[in-house]
Amino acid sequence: MPTDRVTAWGGELQRVHGKLRNALALARAGLDGGDTADAATDLLLFCHGFCAALSGHHRAEDGSLFPEQVRARPDLAPVVAKLTQDHNMIEHLIGGLQKAVADSTDPEVAHRHLDGIEAVMETHFKYEEKQLGAVLDGMDADFDRTEIFGPIS
């Protein structure tokens, strides 16, 4: 994958977060518009797509972006620790959603789990953008978008 030179990495982070918000909205819309005969398939499809995108984004940050930031700015270690803790909490919630979807074809069950994920996700995104946005914008680095932000970038 080619490396693109982008100066405003904080803006790029916000763009990726926007894509994840859109993926969540699409998952919700898909759950609401599904044919009851295909409810189980629809639940798995829509929830899996959103969950894979969110998990992939967080794995990329944990594996590439965060270590690079802590190397460049050791003072960010507590912020990165909090963000990593959020990622673990979101993964736990995603696991709950996946289990619920496997056990029930009721879209309302999935919506309740998505509500919880969305609440934590939004708080996490706002904190991350506030704490790291300007730092990212100030970094003079050639990153690979997919490597640091995941496949949804």
Side-chain angles (χ1 to χ4, degrees):
M1 184 127 319
T3 301
D4 296 314
R5 177 71 174 114
V6 176
T7 303
W9 286 109
E12 187 71 10
L13 178 67
Q14 289 176 339
R15 189 182 69 76
V16 169
H17 286 171
K19 283 184 167 186
L20 289 165
R21 288 180 180 103
N22 289 340
L24 175 61
L26 288 171
R28 286 187 186 279
L31 293 174
D32 292 336
D35 178 348
T36 56
D38 294 324
T41 301
D42 289 348
L43 282 168
L44 290 171
L45 175 66
F46 292 114
C47 292
H48 176 73
F50 166 69
C51 292
L54 185 58
S55 293
H57 169 63
H58 288 159
R59 276 193 308 275
E61 286 181 331
D62 291 343
S64 295
L65 179 63
F66 291 169
E68 179 62 32
Q69 287 186 309
V70 171
R71 254 190 310 280
R73 295 269 314 270
D75 60 306
L76 291 175
V79 170
V80 168
K82 161 102 175 73
L83 293 169
T84 302
Q85 182 180 17
D86 287 353
H87 290 176
N88 292 332
M89 181 187 310
I90 291 169
E91 278 305 304
H92 176 74
L93 294 172
I94 287 172
L97 169 64
Q98 291 170 330
K99 181 177 180 341
V101 166
D103 293 346
S104 174
T105 60
D106 180 0
E108 284 309 308
V109 171
H111 276 296
R112 284 193 300 272
H113 283 273
L114 287 172
D115 289 344
I117 292 169
E118 181 178 29
V120 176
M121 182 182 89
E122 281 301 325
T123 302
H124 170 78
F125 285 174
K126 288 175 185 172
Y127 177 76
E128 184 173 48
E129 290 168 7
K130 180 179 179 183
Q131 296 297 316
L132 300 182
V135 173
L136 283 167
D137 284 343
M139 291 182 82
D140 186 23
D142 288 327
F143 293 124
D144 178 291
R145 279 186 182 87
T146 303
E147 185 179 331
I148 65 165
F149 293 127
I152 198 162
S153 65

